[in-house]
Amino acid sequence: MQSADLLITNIGELATPEGRTARSGAALAATKRVKGAAIAVVGERIAAVGPEAEVRAEWQAAREVDAEGGLAIPGFVDSHTHPVFDGTREDEFEMRVAGKTYVEISQAGGGIVSSVRGVRAASEEQLLAKLLPRLDRFLALGTTTVEAKTGYGLSHEDELKCLRVIAAANKLHAVELVPTFLGAHDFPLDFRERKSEYVDLLYEEMLPAVAESGLAEYCDVFTESHVYNLEQSRRLMQRGRELGLGIRMHVDQLTSGGGAQLAAELGAASADHLECVSPEGIEALAAAGVIPVLCPLVPLFLRVEQEAPARRMIQGGLAPALATDFNPGSCYTQSMPEVLTWAALRYGMSAGETLTAATLNAAVSLGRGERLGSLEVGKQADVAVLQLDGLAFLTYEFGWNPVRKVFKAGRLVLDRARTAIG
Ligand code: NIG
Ligand code: FE
């Protein structure tokens, strides 16, 4: 008999992708499923996982947590969010409901730059005080790892301020944050007539300072006809890479402009959005092994028709990740359960495919596939227990929060009683 620190018992069904690399094709759907399961945890890691009787035959622990027959999955990995902001944009939502488009609102001085006003006016302490409750909500929705972009500072000092806020939150909160520098999110208002000067500033000063600070793992750019063109995007991302940062890119979101091909050329860790990606773009991403990060709630929220051709991407050999794109403008939700249902309904992804995309593939896109994204021996014990009757209910049942228990690195960090009312 071996000693564990914790046994998670009475799991109705355990469902998980397997492996340390991104899954595509048939492997995207091929999740391991165990009814009546248990997990043994030693320190921060999973020591055993399988049918409860088998786990109990080998492992004992002073502490047991009863999953009450729930569905146990790896904690969600939300691989695309913009969580550092002060002030919301419900007025723009109302404008879109009334018929205005995202780009019209942005060109009229709203959009990203309205969040920039809020971030510039806020202190580091104020931004941290806004971010921490958002992390509580991520956890309550079963998300244990979150990619966090800056991008509402758009000045040397304000962008670094946002990165420091992310670093501070990372120390204080159980949710693991992966910081991405998105100084190239938009052009600050005072640079709109001299865009190349802001690109030079990013290239010469901001990117080197960010790399020097050690506060970001990735850099990102909004490659789109009304913001950064291909040439500017290439120059900035190459610079980021030279300085030791990984590359993530917003591409082909509102128009098709060859952004996916650029992400492939640069060997980006992820190409995100892709609603308007061309067949050539899909081929290029597949050839380069770039992970597409799809955000299915964004077109809904923006009221645009075009959705990412997820099925074509999967047929083309891509290994998609799913994300919320949580931000105050184009998608004000933190709910991965909602994302999964929407991916099923709009993309035609099976429950197993959505689970792999929202956990293992997302973890791999963040360089964490060795440690996160699946419930296997040796991986970190990041587990979400949901009040659902099995894997199929992960997409089928929606509109409430079924998350009941969350473990991060073997620690129970969220515990809510089963309930009839969500
Ligand atoms: O991912 N595409 C660019 N950035 C965000 C929008 C952010 C905002 O409107 O504040 C996005 O959709
Ligand atoms: Fe985004």
Side-chain angles (χ1 to χ4, degrees):
M1 188 64 75
Q2 305 188 64
S3 280
D5 296 307
L6 167 72
L7 287 185
I8 307 171
T9 63
N10 193 20
I11 295 169
E13 182 174 9
L14 178 144
T16 180
E18 293 181 287
R20 284 159 162 79
T21 55
R23 310 269 103 179
S24 57
L28 183 65
T31 48
K32 172 176 162 180
R33 298 170 66 175
V34 184
K35 298 254 192 232
I39 300 171
V41 178
V42 174
E44 299 189 345
R45 303 274 170 159
I46 295 173
V49 55
E52 182 156 348
E54 288 177 21
V55 173
R56 282 195 182 279
E58 276 197 43
W59 294 89
Q60 58 179 24
R63 177 146 197 248
E64 294 193 6
V65 174
D66 186 337
E68 300 180 277
L71 170 71
I73 59 172
F76 291 121
V77 177
D78 193 343
S79 51
H80 184 139
T81 85
H82 307 244
V84 186
F85 56 88
D86 185 19
T88 45
R89 291 174 17 214
E90 60 282 4
D91 50 336
E92 296 179 10
F93 181 83
E94 286 287 317
M95 286 160 84
R96 282 201 304 281
V97 168
K100 284 254 181 309
T101 69
Y102 180 78
V103 173
E104 280 166 1
I105 294 168
S106 156
Q107 282 169 345
I112 291 168
V113 295
S114 62
S115 291
V116 171
R117 284 190 280 276
V119 161
R120 288 187 177 176
S123 68
E124 215 164 304
E125 293 69 29
Q126 285 167 331
L127 289 172
L128 183 62
K130 294 282 182 178
L131 178 57
L132 290 172
R134 291 177 192 141
L135 301 188
D136 291 341
R137 189 177 290 189
F138 276 120
L139 212 56
L141 288 160
T143 300
T144 47
T145 302
V146 173
E147 187 259 5
K149 301 178 197 295
T150 65
Y152 295 126
L154 304 190
S155 76
H156 191 119
E157 214 12 77
D158 292 300
E159 283 291 314
L160 279 164
K161 174 172 78 180
C162 294
L163 285 171
R164 287 194 298 271
V165 169
I166 295 169
N170 222 353
K171 289 210 181 81
L172 292 169
H173 204 281
V175 168
E176 178 174 345
L177 296 174
V178 182
T180 295
F181 170 64
L182 179 53
H185 197 189
D186 199 343
F187 291 93
L189 276 183
D190 49 337
F191 281 91
R192 289 231 165 145
E193 303 309 317
R194 43 191 186 112
K195 290 183 173 167
S196 67
E197 285 180 39
Y198 185 65
V199 175
D200 289 344
L201 187 69
L202 283 164
Y203 187 95
E204 283 157 20
E205 289 179 29
M206 291 166 72
L207 276 163
V210 165
E212 171 76 27
S213 74
L215 291 171
E217 291 185 33
Y218 293 93
C219 58
D220 195 340
V221 58
F222 190 5
T223 305
E224 185 59 56
S225 57
H226 74 289
V227 254
Y228 291 81
N229 63 31
L230 287 179
E231 195 189 318
Q232 292 163 331
S233 303
R234 180 185 287 107
R235 181 161 176 246
L236 292 173
M237 295 299 98
Q238 275 173 344
R239 179 70 161 153
R241 187 175 51 202
E242 261 167 44
L243 292 162
L245 300 169
I247 299 174
R248 322 185 74 77
M249 297 176 70
H250 286 70
V251 289
D252 296 331
Q253 180 184 359
L254 304 166
T255 54
S256 180
Q261 289 90 321
L262 178 60
E265 172 196 319
L266 294 168
S270 72
D272 301 38
H273 287 288
L274 297 166
E275 283 82 353
C276 301
V277 68
S278 64
E280 298 73 38
I282 294 177
E283 266 174 43
L285 292 174
V290 177
I291 294 181
V293 174
L294 308 182
C295 308
L297 291 172
V298 173
L300 171 73
F301 206 80
L302 292 182
R303 305 190 75 209
V304 300
E305 296 285 316
Q306 191 64 45
E307 295 180 325
R311 248 358 306 158
R312 288 216 297 280
M313 292 182 193
I314 294 167
Q315 275 150 17
L318 293 182
L322 288 168
T324 57
D325 193 17
F326 170 56
N327 74 79
S330 68
C331 202
Y332 195 53
T333 183
Q334 298 176 242
S335 175
M336 287 297 279
E338 198 75 39
V339 166
L340 268 56
T341 291
W342 202 255
L345 292 171
R346 303 304 305 179
Y347 293 165
M349 289 175 73
S350 69
E353 287 179 328
T354 65
L355 178 64
T356 303
T359 56
L360 181 59
N361 285 2
V364 173
S365 90
L366 295 172
R368 283 157 168 76
E370 287 293 323
R371 177 166 58 87
L372 304 178
S374 63
L375 301 179
E376 294 178 276
V377 172
K379 288 256 185 140
Q380 187 167 300
D382 288 10
V383 186
V385 177
L386 287 71
Q387 188 180 332
L388 293 174
D389 289 339
L391 174 62
F393 290 78
L394 197 54
T395 45
Y396 167 58
E397 189 167 339
F398 77 111
W400 77 319
N401 179 10
V403 176
R404 289 294 165 269
K405 292 184 187 347
V406 178
F407 301 83
K408 180 68 182 175
R411 213 158 52 85
L412 181 64
V413 287
L414 181 108
D415 194 6
R416 296 164 71 207
R418 277 176 77 87
T419 168
I421 53 171

